């Protein structure tokens, strides 16, 4: 693959890694069934443990490394999230 294509692909992936947690919480927020399941889990386990476990699974599943913290997510289900590289 051409080096400029690889560089571009790496840049796009890097941008996705920074926002993947927010995007997953938006997916939950905008899907009726997922939101229902999420609310049941929050009711059972409380908000912070549920959100922390989801964030941990994202990091594990995609084999990501912590970067900075985003204090302005788009999703209303979280007040901040870890960005990854």
């Amino acid at each position: 693959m051409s080096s400029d294509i690889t560089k571009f692909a790496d840049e796009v992936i890097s941008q996705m890694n920074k926002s993947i947690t927010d995007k997953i919480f938006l997916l939950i927020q905008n899907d009726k069934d997922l939101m229902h399941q999420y609310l049941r889990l929050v009711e059972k386990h409380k908000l912070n443990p549920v959100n922390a476990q989801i964030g941990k699974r994202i990091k594990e599943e995609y084999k990501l490394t912590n970067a900075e913290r985003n204090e302005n997510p788009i999703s209303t289900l979280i007040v901040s999230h870890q960005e990854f590289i």
Side-chain angles (χ1 to χ4, degrees):
M1 187 178 335
S2 176
S3 66
D4 58 337
I5 298 170
T6 301
K7 184 177 178 180
F8 175 75
D10 289 346
E11 182 180 335
V12 171
I13 291 166
S14 175
Q15 289 297 315
M16 178 58 134
N17 289 347
K18 288 180 183 178
S19 64
I20 193 165
T21 301
D22 202 12
K23 287 184 179 8
I24 287 176
F25 277 95
L26 281 169
L27 175 67
I28 295 167
Q29 180 179 313
N30 293 320
D31 183 287
K32 183 179 177 181
D33 293 331
L34 292 175
M35 186 63 175
H36 179 74
Q37 292 175 58
Y38 172 81
L39 291 173
R40 298 304 291 263
L41 289 169
V42 168
E43 180 180 38
K44 182 177 180 180
H45 300 284
K46 304 293 181 213
L47 181 68
N48 288 341
V50 171
N51 287 357
Q53 187 65 31
I54 293 170
K56 182 178 177 182
R57 284 294 300 128
I58 293 166
K59 182 179 177 180
E60 290 171 354
E61 182 66 26
Y62 293 100
K63 298 169 181 51
L64 300 169
T65 303
N66 289 357
E68 55 191 66
R69 193 130 191 98
N70 182 322
E71 302 290 337
N72 297 301
I74 298 168
S75 173
T76 59
L77 301 179
I78 52 178
V79 294
S80 68
H81 68 85
Q82 186 67 51
E83 291 183 348
F84 300 107
I85 54 173

